[in-house]
Amino acid sequence: MSISHEINPRDRILLIGNPNVGKSVFFTELTGIHAISSNYVGTTVSYMEGHLPVGGKEYTLIDVPGTYSLTPTSDAESIAVHFLKSGAKAIICVLDASNLERNLYLALELQKYDIPTVYTLNLLDVAERRGTIINDRLLAQDLGAPVIPTIAVKKQGIDELIQELNIVLNEESKVTSDGSAANNISINANTATKCKQSCGKCSQCPSKRLESQADIWSMAREIRQRVSKQETSSPSFIDRLGDAMVKPMPGIPIALLSMAMLIGVVVFGGRGLRAGLLPLVNEIIVPFFRWLFALFIPEGIFLNILIGEFGVFVISFEWILALIFPYVLCFYIAFSFLEDSGYLPRVSVLFDNVMRKLGIQGGSLIYTVMGFGCAVPAIIGTRAATSRKERLIVTAAICFAIPCISQTGALIALFSAYDWWMMPAMVLFGLVLFISVSLIAGKLTKGKVEPLIIEVPNLLMPEPKAYGRKLLTRMKHFLKDAEVPMLAAVVLAALLAETGALNAIARFAEPLVSRWLGMPAEAVTALILGIVRREMSVAPLIALDLTALQAFVGGAVALMYIPCISVFAILTKEFKLKIAAIITVSTIIAALFIGGLINQIGQLFLQLT
């Protein structure tokens, strides 16, 4: 997303802070837009903006990408500096009370831009849990600006923040004759005061010139020591658990248990919901539309397109509502919990050595897991990777070997009619494929991958309301982003079936589909629809009477097959058309070649036995 130059800086308020300090939660509460908030670096590389009413006037609040400093070394820091240089009416700077010294570095850097600022001291509950007590009034004096204690996920301090922001905006409107801000030091007499000449302590002191990074770190340390104290406190259970999760023992067993629970929630939860939705679809919704359209539409192609075997008002409900939606919902229930708890970065640290052998960082596991939700945000998330080489390796592996949750749901539904080993075998196949693609891409791609540097956030129990809002927002985004392409695929399937085009294509593709892949001629529908949406490369197979070998071959081809239109679009945007075309053509060739190889080997094995 490009940086907008249309907003007048005088109408713009910047929301700035380190990654993982709760900025997105503030953005949601202040604007009403349910931004996706996550506990790991990379979620907000692109910025968001929304409307923020303060004191009877509406401003544009911009959620600036999370950054540790204003010395640009990444895309996120470059975007942050761009916004600051282009100006703003005010800044809301979010500080993490549990990591105050590190956050103060950014807070002190902001002061050179001479933009009125309100600081929020967030995550106070985590700091207090660790025995850290912070004097927010003393901190306000040192920073020369208001400091509002907050716990954003519980909405504590939000009203006070808006009130203080209103004061800042009113004070900032009083400008000097040359147009500069009249007061960037004394904003509120109750919380911040001007420096006493040469006090030698606060960051506003004339004797404290912050000319280098060492100066800023020194001042940050001095302020932290002055405003905070550490009370004797034994680590809580959740803190001890968080530390244990990054150690091989018991970290690896915990990781395996977490993965098993994630799979269990998706598989069994999805099956349970599907069992409840299928009767609703087959006995109420579909019969209703068949009755309705039959009243005023004569029999023929048009009626069949609407309510025939591949009818839009038949397949759309069966595939989208009953087949795919239950698994998507269950995946995001589990994934959002792992995300909000701060667990995913710990897995990245735990498996960094293993991932290194594949030529990528452990942090790449974050994007991989995101890919199980949808490849598009996962590929965007790789912007936070340390090098272009790592981005390309992870992106290629996601396109080849990671099914989105919609496709996973369709695969589960396909294999559920066969022996129990089918799905585990597909998981093993996907793992081997992921490893192989990563190694090959690493050999073919120039460059190097830097060592893992990742922030491990606080381990938290997700706040129910914030967790619920995120889950609701994600499901809305899924329905919005997936509904139109899936409906388009259903309409295409109906047109192909009713016009006879499907039979013509099947005859043309018979040597490939029937002889090499060993699939029924009707399976060509899956290859056509898979171009529109990845799950549509699986859904048509469910209605066919396949053998176990045919089902596995179909699943393997669908897993590797061409990225859907939306994935191709994001590949083109992120890496240009050449890379997008190479990945797309490679997936098609690999899918058809390996799928046929599995079929030929399987047929030979069946003949021998």
Side-chain angles (χ1 to χ4, degrees):
M1 184 175 183
S2 61
I3 296 176
S4 173
H5 297 275
E6 299 177 0
I7 304 171
N8 188 328
R10 306 299 297 173
D11 297 325
R12 188 163 62 190
I13 297 174
L14 304 181
L15 182 62
I16 294 179
N18 289 182
N20 309 316
V21 296
K23 282 192 311 91
S24 295
V25 180
F26 279 100
F27 185 80
T28 298
E29 296 295 341
L30 293 172
T31 66
I33 296 177
H34 299 311
I36 295 296
S37 59
S38 303
N39 283 322
Y40 53 83
V41 180
T43 299
T44 54
V45 170
S46 295
Y47 74 93
M48 296 190 68
E49 59 184 52
H51 298 296
L52 172 60
V54 181
K57 182 177 179 180
E58 192 169 84
Y59 297 89
T60 297
L61 180 67
I62 295 181
D63 183 9
V64 178
T67 178
Y68 292 106
S69 79
L70 300 178
T71 303
T73 57
S74 67
D75 290 343
E77 291 166 354
S78 297
I79 293 173
V81 171
H82 177 97
F83 274 122
L84 287 165
K85 287 183 176 180
S86 61
K89 184 77 170 180
I91 294 173
I92 300 173
C93 179
V94 182
L95 306 176
D96 178 358
S98 64
N99 291 288
L100 185 58
E101 185 173 317
R102 185 197 66 202
N103 284 242
L104 283 173
Y105 183 90
L106 177 63
L108 294 173
E109 278 193 308
L110 286 174
Q111 294 182 350
K112 69 180 181 181
Y113 288 94
D114 199 34
I115 300 175
T117 303
V118 177
Y119 297 95
T120 72
L121 190 61
N122 198 36
L123 297 171
L124 275 174
D125 51 342
V126 178
E128 291 174 358
R129 188 179 76 201
R130 296 177 176 177
T132 302
I133 306 299
I134 298 174
N135 187 326
D136 56 274
R137 288 183 174 274
L138 187 55
L139 179 59
Q141 292 176 5
D142 280 351
L143 292 176
V147 174
I148 311 300
T150 60
I151 303 176
V153 294
K154 299 179 181 179
K155 297 185 179 181
Q156 294 182 15
I158 299 296
D159 291 339
E160 291 80 357
L161 171 61
I162 295 175
Q163 292 171 9
E164 197 63 60
L165 184 61
N166 187 35
I167 296 173
V168 169
L169 294 171
N170 288 334
E171 288 290 332
E172 201 275 339
S173 296
K174 303 173 184 178
V175 295
T176 61
S177 58
D178 63 357
S180 62
N183 189 355
N184 189 37
I185 299 176
S186 180
I187 306 287
N188 184 337
N190 293 325
T191 57
T193 60
K194 291 183 179 180
C195 172
K196 295 178 181 179
Q197 187 67 26
S198 299
C199 72
K201 296 181 178 180
C202 75
S203 63
Q204 301 294 330
C205 180
S207 67
K208 287 285 185 178
R209 294 184 178 180
L210 306 179
E211 297 180 350
S212 67
Q213 290 184 347
D215 292 336
I216 299 174
W217 278 119
S218 177
M219 174 59 74
R221 188 174 303 107
E222 288 178 21
I223 294 175
R224 190 263 303 165
Q225 292 173 345
R226 189 160 49 246
V227 305
S228 67
K229 62 179 181 178
Q230 190 70 32
E231 295 184 346
T232 303
S233 176
S234 58
S236 66
F237 169 76
I238 196 167
D239 288 331
R240 294 196 304 271
L241 179 61
D243 292 338
M245 285 176 171
V246 298
K247 300 175 182 178
M249 287 298 295
I252 293 177
I254 291 174
L256 295 176
L257 178 61
S258 299
M259 184 59 64
M261 293 177 66
L262 175 63
I263 294 173
V265 170
V266 173
V267 174
F268 296 108
R271 283 182 181 177
L273 289 174
R274 186 181 176 217
L277 288 172
L278 273 175
L280 176 66
V281 170
N282 294 331
E283 298 174 15
I284 299 177
I285 296 177
V286 171
F288 169 76
F289 281 104
R290 280 181 172 151
W291 168 80
L292 179 64
F293 290 122
L295 288 178
F296 55 89
I297 299 177
E299 292 187 4
I301 291 180
F302 184 56
L303 182 62
N304 288 338
I305 289 175
L306 293 176
I307 57 172
E309 180 183 0
F310 284 92
V312 174
F313 287 85
V314 176
I315 299 300
S316 60
F317 289 112
E318 290 181 354
W319 287 359
I320 299 175
L321 181 60
L323 171 62
I324 294 170
F325 181 81
Y327 296 102
V328 173
L329 175 61
C330 291
F331 172 81
Y332 279 125
I333 288 174
F335 179 74
S336 296
F337 181 88
L338 294 177
E339 195 176 38
D340 277 7
S341 67
Y343 178 61
L344 293 182
R346 288 171 166 80
V347 178
S348 298
V349 174
L350 183 65
F351 288 100
D352 182 54
N353 288 336
V354 176
M355 298 297 286
R356 278 276 163 195
K357 297 183 185 302
L358 302 181
I360 51 182
Q361 288 185 356
S364 298
L365 274 176
I366 291 175
Y367 319 127
T368 302
V369 176
M370 287 176 67
F372 282 103
C374 178
V376 172
I379 293 170
I380 293 174
T382 63
R383 292 175 185 172
T386 57
S387 67
R388 178 177 172 82
K389 176 174 182 173
E390 185 176 9
R391 287 198 71 192
L392 286 170
I393 294 173
V394 176
T395 297
I398 289 172
C399 290
F400 271 90
I402 303 299
C404 68
I405 185 55
S406 300
Q407 191 178 33
T408 300
L411 286 170
I412 294 172
L414 173 65
F415 293 147
S416 62
Y418 302 91
D419 292 335
W420 66 269
W421 57 266
M422 293 281 283
M423 195 63 202
M426 184 56 63
V427 171
L428 181 61
F429 174 74
L431 179 61
V432 172
L433 191 61
F434 181 88
I435 294 172
S436 302
V437 171
S438 298
L439 292 173
I440 294 172
K443 295 293 184 181
L444 297 177
T445 307
K446 296 180 180 179
K448 64 178 182 178
V449 177
E450 300 294 336
L452 175 65
I453 300 177
I454 188 172
E455 179 185 4
V456 179
N458 301 304
L459 188 66
L460 300 170
M461 181 61 67
E463 200 279 323
K465 290 184 179 179
Y467 170 78
R469 285 197 301 268
K470 168 182 279 191
L471 182 60
L472 179 62
T473 302
R474 277 202 155 130
M475 295 313 300
K476 286 181 178 178
H477 285 172
F478 166 76
L479 292 174
K480 178 182 176 181
D481 297 339
E483 184 176 7
V484 173
M486 282 193 286
L487 285 175
V490 171
V491 172
L492 179 61
L495 289 172
L496 290 174
E498 297 302 329
T499 60
L502 183 60
N503 291 332
I505 296 173
R507 286 194 297 271
F508 176 78
E510 193 269 341
L512 173 66
V513 176
S514 299
R515 297 179 189 175
W516 175 243
L517 296 178
M519 303 290 289
E522 296 85 353
V524 73
T525 308
L527 297 180
I528 297 171
L529 301 187
I531 298 173
V532 183
R533 286 282 301 181
R534 297 187 75 178
E535 64 271 16
M536 294 303 176
S537 63
V538 182
L541 303 178
I542 297 174
L544 302 179
D545 186 19
L546 303 177
T547 64
L549 177 59
Q550 288 175 324
F552 191 84
V553 170
V557 171
L559 177 65
M560 293 178 285
Y561 192 52
I562 180 172
C564 61
I565 291 175
S566 57
V567 175
F568 182 82
I570 200 65
L571 285 173
T572 303
K573 179 181 178 182
E574 296 293 316
F575 302 103
K576 307 303 180 185
L577 180 60
K578 179 181 178 181
I579 297 296
I582 290 174
I583 291 177
T584 299
V585 172
S586 299
T587 58
I588 296 173
I589 294 174
L592 298 178
F593 176 74
I594 296 176
L597 201 60
I598 294 173
N599 172 59
Q600 300 302 320
I601 294 174
Q603 293 286 2
L604 181 61
F605 177 78
L606 291 175
Q607 291 175 7
L608 294 176
T609 57

